[in-house]
Amino acid sequence: MSLDDLLKEGEAGVANKTDEQITLEDLMKINLQNRKMTLLLISGLIFIMVSILNFAYVIALQSTTLSTQYMLYRYIVTGQYENAPIDYMRLMIPSIIAAAIGVILFISYTIERRKKGD
């Protein structure tokens, strides 16, 4: 291979690189897309964390109201020797909704990430 051929290939490579330069507008679009993806991921994770915390709170409340100490306290105060009539499933509804929103946001993030990769 001659030196002229190598130089011509080098010039063609430089010309192709100048055609593929990223403009400031393209960088701004990429930055905006990355910020949206980050917001989507973080909000999904926050919803899932809130759901887990709410679930843990309801489980702790349930175990407290079913404990022997609470039943004895309730018997002393009200004369009723039974656990508190609380609908725990109703307390779980916000946890379930937050978890569903978090999972949907996380799935949306994953789908967008795969589209971006393709």
Side-chain angles (χ1 to χ4, degrees), residues 1-16:
M1 199 173 204
S2 70
L3 185 58
D4 290 333
D5 291 337
L6 286 174
L7 287 174
K8 287 180 184 175
E9 278 185 31
E11 289 174 3
V14 170
N16 286 340

Side-chain angles (χ1 to χ4, degrees), residues 28-96:
M28 289 174 59
K29 287 180 184 177
I30 292 169
N31 186 23
L32 181 62
Q33 179 66 21
N34 286 341
R35 281 199 272 166
K36 286 180 182 178
M37 294 294 287
T38 302
L39 181 64
L40 190 64
L41 177 64
I42 290 173
S43 60
L45 291 175
I46 287 173
F47 272 100
I48 290 172
M49 286 179 5
V50 165
S51 167
I52 291 170
L53 289 174
N54 186 35
F55 182 76
Y57 172 75
V58 171
I59 295 299
L61 180 67
Q62 184 178 15
S63 68
T64 301
T65 58
L66 294 177
S67 72
T68 307
Q69 289 176 339
Y70 179 77
M71 291 166 115
L72 290 174
Y73 170 75
R74 187 172 163 85
Y75 178 72
I76 292 169
V77 172
T78 64
Q80 298 173 343
Y81 187 70
E82 58 188 55
N83 61 350
I86 298 175
D87 184 13
Y88 297 104
M89 195 58 200
R90 181 177 267 178
L91 294 174
M92 290 287 191
I93 291 173
S95 181
I96 293 169

